Amino acid sequence: MANQVKIMETVLRDGHQSLAATRMRITDMIPVLEQLDNAGFHALEAWGGATFDSCLRFLNEDPWERLRTLKKHLPKTPIQMLLRGQNVLGYNHYADDVVTEFINRAVDNGVGIIRIFDALNDVRNLETAMRAAKTAGAHVQGAFVYTISPYHHKDSFLQVAKDLVQMGADSICIKDMSGLLSPYTAYDLVQALKATIDIPIQLHTHYTSGMASMTYLKAIEAGVDIVDCALSPFAMGTSQPATEAIVAALEGTSWDTGIKKEALYPIADHFRSVKKDLAETFKLNTAMDIDTKVLSFQIPGGMLSNLLNQMKEQGMADKYPELLEEMPRVRADLGYPPLVTPTSQITGSMAAFNVMLGRYKVVPREIKDIVRGKYGRTPAPIDPEFRKAIVGDEPVINHRPADDIAPQMASLRNELSEKGYASASTEDVLSYALFPEVALEVFKNNR
């Protein structure tokens, strides 16, 4: 079946990251892993993104142990992870030796497919990660972040995709984290990619604006190879389209996934009770509404509620509408970065400060770093007057930012040794590199 569409299932990662604050535990997953392994998915996204941080920070779990457990129960279906290029799974750039070692250990512990992206679509920030993943023997998926601005258009995305192919990508992912990709735009973009590139194209979107299922159908008509879906209890809202619905929609067509929807029902029933338990245990609101206003504000769904909570805590909930209007202005000032981790958090915080304290009266370090080029090249050039107002005469970085970072692994190992963990594994050193305080807490409780 030349046209068969494959499905990458996200219930073990992005599904619960989007709807349940990444609180799903490994014990919630184990009972149905064998069934998931036998369902016929292209891959199971089960690691990376915010799961690493959440394991350490909230669940007292070792993320590496989680990965090994997943691999033990998933002998057939590849485990896919999401990696933020030079940011790895943290929020800053790390040295090349940390990036390389992290990928080596991820692959050795069970990851088969690594989706690698950069928040600014600066491919220089993907060089080391893609090279390391290739050397380690993983399937390397180069991703470009989809967004809307005067500086983002079909040809600019095609150029990033071509660069990723040149860098050795085995497949390309359109990563639409805010649900901004409309159905007919998806058709045109996928068609252009298929005409230009000779490797599989995968589409990842979120239901935030309400268009995701329609977008998938048009992308499938245009020839997309793989789509990301979540089993129904962790689908829709700010997550992905429901797996069972997409499987049913394609049944009996030339795009038939080959997955039996009936085999998915008992797995979905299990996750329905997991979702209920997570909501009660962690006091979560797991019912996220569709909000088509995201097409104007372009703020990822989970972030809207976080920003509103921040405003409430400051007693400024009445200024929330102003915040929504300020976000696009800050984004334009910063050179139209796509709003994805970490740029979404940085832009959102700056907009909140501007509304509460006056425009750019307080400027966080991360804003200065974006303006100076420390995160990479912004899609649009930053206005020189704005740059001077924010960073004065500080030097601007025009080269690959990680070139300025000296190797870190040896010093991190020494630091851990001084803290009483002389025999720390390489995995523990990497956990400490990304999230020092929370990793130490987990070590204290479990080592």
Side-chain angles (χ1 to χ4, degrees):
M1 290 175 68
N3 298 333
Q4 183 179 42
V5 171
K6 296 173 179 170
I7 289 184
M8 201 271 282
E9 174 57 55
T10 70
V11 71
L12 302 179
R13 204 286 295 178
D14 204 10
H16 70 96
Q17 181 171 319
S18 297
L19 296 184
T22 331
R23 295 298 196 274
M24 196 186 290
R25 303 149 295 201
I26 187 66
T27 49
D28 299 319
M29 303 173 190
I30 288 172
V32 289
L33 290 180
E34 189 179 335
Q35 289 163 274
L36 285 169
D37 197 33
N38 291 324
F41 293 116
H42 165 70
L44 290 161
E45 190 195 38
W47 211 61
T51 60
F52 198 96
D53 184 359
S54 192
C55 278
L56 293 167
R57 194 179 301 273
F58 302 114
L59 304 177
N60 190 36
E61 260 188 54
D62 181 340
W64 299 100
E65 189 55 44
R66 172 181 289 200
L67 176 56
R68 288 189 285 272
T69 303
L70 287 165
K71 184 61 185 168
K72 190 171 73 182
H73 291 277
L74 300 169
K76 293 189 293 198
T77 311
I79 295 172
Q80 181 160 330
M81 76 164 291
L82 180 67
L83 187 96
R84 303 183 194 123
Q86 208 69 34
N87 287 7
V88 190
L89 299 176
Y91 304 101
N92 304 297
H93 281 192
Y94 296 91
D96 287 342
D97 65 335
V98 171
V99 176
T100 301
E101 196 57 63
F102 189 93
I103 287 168
N104 288 341
R105 300 317 307 138
V107 173
D108 280 354
N109 281 284
V111 170
I113 302 173
I114 306 183
R115 176 179 293 169
I116 307 172
F117 79 98
D118 175 66
L120 298 176
N121 285 331
D122 185 342
V123 294
R124 299 172 306 170
N125 293 333
L126 305 180
E127 286 170 12
T128 299
M130 287 182 71
R131 197 184 313 117
K134 203 87 177 152
T135 305
H139 174 108
V140 182
Q141 184 169 90
F144 64 81
V145 177
Y146 179 82
T147 188
I148 301 169
S149 87
Y151 288 85
H152 292 89
H153 42 79
K154 185 166 70 181
D155 289 342
S156 67
F157 294 127
L158 281 177
Q159 187 53 57
V160 179
K162 283 191 229 173
D163 290 343
L164 293 169
V165 171
Q166 219 169 4
M167 291 163 69
D170 298 305
S171 60
I172 294 293
C173 175
I174 305 164
K175 179 176 166 56
D176 174 27
M177 62 284 164
S178 301
L180 304 176
L181 185 59
S182 64
Y184 291 99
T185 304
Y187 185 90
D188 290 344
L189 180 55
V190 170
Q191 206 172 44
L193 285 165
K194 294 298 284 184
T196 312
I197 286 164
D198 197 23
I199 58 175
I201 308 296
Q202 186 158 347
L203 177 54
H204 172 92
T205 191
H206 288 250
Y207 227 100
T208 318
S209 68
M211 296 191 292
S213 291
M214 295 180 280
T215 296
Y216 275 3
L217 281 179
K218 292 308 291 181
I220 287 164
E221 288 174 11
V224 83
D225 299 281
I226 311 157
V227 291
D228 292 5
C229 301
L231 282 164
S232 52
F234 285 95
M236 317 285 277
T238 51
S239 181
Q240 280 79 51
T243 309
E244 305 95 308
I246 296 295
V247 167
L250 300 178
E251 236 170 38
T253 71
S254 62
W255 300 294
D256 196 313
T257 63
I259 294 170
K260 298 280 176 276
K261 62 182 184 298
E262 293 79 10
L264 302 178
Y265 298 158
I267 312 175
D269 287 342
H270 167 78
F271 282 117
R272 202 163 282 113
S273 61
V274 165
K275 183 180 177 183
K276 189 168 179 288
D277 178 51
L278 294 182
E280 289 168 1
T281 304
F282 296 104
K283 309 286 186 285
L284 300 172
N285 171 22
T286 57
M288 303 291 184
D289 292 333
I290 282 168
D291 187 356
T292 313
K293 291 200 297 291
V294 72
L295 298 171
S296 304
F297 304 122
Q298 300 185 26
I299 304 168
M303 206 184 150
L304 286 168
S305 51
N306 283 341
L307 286 169
L308 178 57
N309 284 339
Q310 283 176 28
M311 300 300 276
K312 279 179 180 166
E313 283 167 15
Q314 299 300 320
M316 292 189 168
D318 59 315
K319 289 189 179 285
Y320 184 61
E322 285 178 51
L323 172 71
L324 293 182
E325 286 170 20
E326 180 64 6
M327 274 288 285
R329 288 196 287 263
V330 171
R331 184 174 178 238
D333 290 339
L334 297 178
Y336 291 100
L339 296 179
V340 64
T341 303
T343 49
S344 53
Q345 290 85 343
I346 295 168
T347 307
S349 298
M350 188 70 257
F353 281 137
N354 283 358
V355 166
M356 293 190 289
L357 308 168
R359 296 201 87 220
Y360 299 108
K361 297 288 187 215
V362 171
V363 179
R365 175 182 59 82
E366 291 84 358
I367 291 287
K368 294 180 180 179
D369 285 346
I370 285 183
V371 171
R372 279 185 57 228
K374 200 169 176 183
Y375 283 92
R377 195 186 292 120
T378 53
I382 288 174
D383 179 81
E385 285 185 23
F386 177 74
R387 178 181 282 127
K388 190 161 179 62
I390 298 297
V391 298
D393 296 321
E394 284 186 43
V396 174
I397 298 167
N398 291 313
H399 49 270
R400 187 183 77 111
D403 287 343
D404 294 335
I405 309 174
Q408 295 171 312
M409 284 299 290
S411 58
L412 288 162
R413 197 174 278 286
N414 288 338
E415 277 180 39
L416 262 187
S417 185
E418 285 166 12
K419 293 178 189 299
Y421 299 101
S423 57
S425 66
T426 302
E427 286 86 347
D428 280 352
V429 175
L430 291 162
S431 297
Y432 175 72
L434 269 53
F435 303 106
E437 294 86 3
V438 286
L440 285 173
E441 194 62 28
V442 170
F443 300 162
K444 193 173 81 180
N445 294 333
N446 298 287
R447 295 287 180 272

